[in-house]
Amino acid sequence: MSSIQQFQMYIDGKFVPSVTGAQFESLNPATGKPWAALPEAGLEDVNAAVNSARNAFDKGPWSNFTGTERARLLRKLGDIIARDAELLASCESKDNGKLYREMLGQWKYIPEWFYYYAGMADKLQGDTIPSDRNNFFIYTRREPIGVVAAITAWNSPGLLLTFKLAPGLAAGCTFVVKPSEHAPVSTIELAKRFEEAGFPPGVFNVITGAGIPGAALVDHPGVDKVAFTGATQTGKKIAASTAKNLTRVSLELGGKSPNIVFDDADLDVAANGAIAGIFGATGQTCMAGSRLLVHEKVHDALMDRILARTAQIKMGNPLDADTEMGPVANAPQLDKVLEYITVGLQDGAKLAAGGKQDEKLGPMFVMPTIFTGVTNQMRIAQEEVFGPILSVIKFKDEEEAIAIANDTRFGLAAAVWTQNIHRAHRVAHQLRAGTVWINAYRVVSFLTPFGGFKESGLGRENGMDSIREYTETKSVYVELTGKPRDPFTLG
Ligand code: NDP
């Protein structure tokens, strides 16, 4: 137990154990060994965290901060994160096995969210509404929604949390955060940076643990909004729970995104994009390009390129600079990935690469796996695997490509590979997905709305509009004459 680092939760400005003293361990998937121990929160801890966020929102100093003052703290937090990006990235890589260089890239980029929304914190203007009656002056106010419960997935905990935190804090909300039990450490480390930046107690609280804390937070009457990133199945349960109190909710959920290669595409570039789409982050990303739709004329030429590059992918320790694919992040995820390899074979798809664990590296390392001869009705084309499995589907023409691409319950992302500018935009407009890339894959930015059509989610994160997810509009009517009106008629 001595080599295991101990972490505590962050409630009301203090680092604390759980009330019961219970703990759980976070495993490093690359070594298979526990590396961190954290408190297992129970209901009392959830209540304490929500009460703290509630007090900070209702009566703490934060509630009187102007947008300008909030912006100052957000910028300071961004600077501290930029300074400590290496440490935050290494915690995440140890927790979820993703490449250190990918995590470092994310943590170096995360400050931009805090700077961008800091710029918005003092511009949350309402409107003056021209009245249809001369005796009224009417205006609107944009007010913070209140206490936000942010619940995040294990694949990119810091980035997914930042999508919620930066606009929410800019708007004046307070937070209780529950990271996944598979990758909780970077969120606790972030709490130390909140303290250093000078945020008042209660603005940012972190509780850790599996099962009870997430569900209890969602049900809690002291929570005004749930901002969730995770599986579609979990998102549906959360939507049902929040309906009881009409708690506001935004959901960033799963995907089965089509990566569509037309016969006029640059095949070298498209092959590279297909690899990035499915084997980047070991396929453990919501926007994975897990369905590769290829025009039948270029199918073999494209697959030659993809298979050649796949055979060269360097798997290994995610902390090493030249590693390209790390392990699957945790045991339940490994079971799921292996099950889908069996399902693909049973459904009659042809295994063109991978399909097994790497014996030398260990059981958590699943080789990059490609199924060809897939039809869109197969389970490996319809269900999210969240792992390094690519399903390759042939199409005959543009109409069929669009029909296959949209024949899914998901709608998170899609990509179009073509050198024909007319086709590029025409197809992009017909795809039912929240993000479409043209001749690119896996690009996100603080400037651009991100979210899902259909069962991929509800609401948008990032960009100007996402701040609306953290504010309520209030209309104020001011009577100008001071004279009594007929009390029995409207208006
Ligand atoms: P899960 O849905 O299993 O878990 C996500 C979070 O929700 C965890 O913190 C989990 O906590 C918590 N949780 C689980 N059940 C409940 C509940 N009933 N009430 C409240 N909270 C609950 O997802 P994964 O962590 O396995 O992440 C993978 C999924 O996330 C994939 O489907 C992926 O597509 C999606 N995702 C979506 C993104 C997007 O932006 N659209 C980005 C990244 C991932 P616990 O620790 O208890 O499990």
Side-chain angles (χ1 to χ4, degrees), residues 31 46 60 75 85 150 168 266 373 480 487:
T31 63
V46 173
R75 281 194 296 272
D266 178 327
L480 296 175

mmCIF file of all heavy atoms in Angstrom, residues 31 46 60 75 85 150 168 266 373 480 487:
data_model
loop_
_atom_site.group_PDB
_atom_site.id
_atom_site.type_symbol
_atom_site.label_atom_id
_atom_site.label_comp_id
_atom_site.label_asym_id
_atom_site.label_seq_id
_atom_site.Cartn_x
_atom_site.Cartn_y
_atom_site.Cartn_z
ATOM 1 N N THR A 31 0.144 -1.048 -16.111
ATOM 2 C CA THR A 31 0.908 -1.938 -15.227
ATOM 3 C C THR A 31 0.001 -2.975 -14.568
ATOM 4 O O THR A 31 0.482 -3.956 -14.018
ATOM 5 C CB THR A 31 1.587 -1.126 -14.102
ATOM 6 O OG1 THR A 31 0.543 -0.513 -13.315
ATOM 7 C CG2 THR A 31 2.501 -0.043 -14.654
ATOM 8 N N VAL A 46 -22.161 13.299 -0.255
ATOM 9 C CA VAL A 46 -22.869 13.965 -1.358
ATOM 10 C C VAL A 46 -23.639 15.166 -0.805
ATOM 11 O O VAL A 46 -23.577 16.282 -1.352
ATOM 12 C CB VAL A 46 -23.828 12.990 -2.079
ATOM 13 C CG1 VAL A 46 -24.687 13.719 -3.106
ATOM 14 C CG2 VAL A 46 -23.040 11.863 -2.741
ATOM 15 N N GLY A 60 -22.745 32.851 -0.438
ATOM 16 C CA GLY A 60 -21.301 33.043 -0.292
ATOM 17 C C GLY A 60 -20.819 34.283 -1.013
ATOM 18 O O GLY A 60 -21.577 34.909 -1.759
ATOM 19 N N ARG A 75 -9.053 33.397 -15.466
ATOM 20 C CA ARG A 75 -7.770 33.563 -16.172
ATOM 21 C C ARG A 75 -6.617 33.037 -15.318
ATOM 22 O O ARG A 75 -5.695 32.399 -15.813
ATOM 23 C CB ARG A 75 -7.544 35.036 -16.527
ATOM 24 C CG ARG A 75 -8.334 35.495 -17.752
ATOM 25 C CD ARG A 75 -7.826 36.832 -18.275
ATOM 26 N NE ARG A 75 -8.033 37.886 -17.294
ATOM 27 C CZ ARG A 75 -9.146 38.617 -17.192
ATOM 28 N NH1 ARG A 75 -10.154 38.411 -18.022
ATOM 29 N NH2 ARG A 75 -9.245 39.553 -16.271
ATOM 30 N N ALA A 85 0.555 21.579 -16.506
ATOM 31 C CA ALA A 85 -0.027 20.641 -17.491
ATOM 32 C C ALA A 85 0.639 19.262 -17.432
ATOM 33 O O ALA A 85 -0.037 18.236 -17.554
ATOM 34 C CB ALA A 85 0.080 21.234 -18.894
ATOM 35 N N ALA A 150 -21.606 18.067 -12.176
ATOM 36 C CA ALA A 150 -20.908 17.666 -13.403
ATOM 37 C C ALA A 150 -20.400 16.243 -13.218
ATOM 38 O O ALA A 150 -19.677 15.953 -12.267
ATOM 39 C CB ALA A 150 -19.742 18.617 -13.682
ATOM 40 N N GLY A 168 -19.760 27.450 -17.099
ATOM 41 C CA GLY A 168 -20.569 27.485 -15.867
ATOM 42 C C GLY A 168 -20.019 28.487 -14.865
ATOM 43 O O GLY A 168 -20.776 29.248 -14.252
ATOM 44 N N ASP A 266 -8.219 11.827 -51.675
ATOM 45 C CA ASP A 266 -6.781 11.537 -51.627
ATOM 46 C C ASP A 266 -6.631 10.358 -50.660
ATOM 47 O O ASP A 266 -6.816 10.497 -49.447
ATOM 48 C CB ASP A 266 -6.040 12.780 -51.109
ATOM 49 C CG ASP A 266 -4.544 12.540 -50.984
ATOM 50 O OD1 ASP A 266 -4.141 11.398 -50.667
ATOM 51 O OD2 ASP A 266 -3.779 13.502 -51.194
ATOM 52 N N GLY A 373 -16.036 -6.336 -44.897
ATOM 53 C CA GLY A 373 -17.249 -7.088 -45.255
ATOM 54 C C GLY A 373 -18.367 -6.892 -44.238
ATOM 55 O O GLY A 373 -19.220 -7.756 -44.060
ATOM 56 N N LEU A 480 -44.370 52.271 -15.083
ATOM 57 C CA LEU A 480 -43.754 53.597 -15.074
ATOM 58 C C LEU A 480 -44.644 54.710 -14.506
ATOM 59 O O LEU A 480 -44.135 55.767 -14.127
ATOM 60 C CB LEU A 480 -43.341 53.990 -16.511
ATOM 61 C CG LEU A 480 -42.265 53.097 -17.144
ATOM 62 C CD1 LEU A 480 -42.040 53.500 -18.602
ATOM 63 C CD2 LEU A 480 -40.948 53.187 -16.384
ATOM 64 N N PRO A 487 -57.605 45.462 -11.882
ATOM 65 C CA PRO A 487 -56.989 44.227 -11.360
ATOM 66 C C PRO A 487 -57.551 42.963 -11.991
ATOM 67 O O PRO A 487 -57.019 41.885 -11.754
ATOM 68 C CB PRO A 487 -57.309 44.276 -9.868
ATOM 69 C CG PRO A 487 -58.481 45.179 -9.727
ATOM 70 C CD PRO A 487 -58.468 46.122 -10.895
#
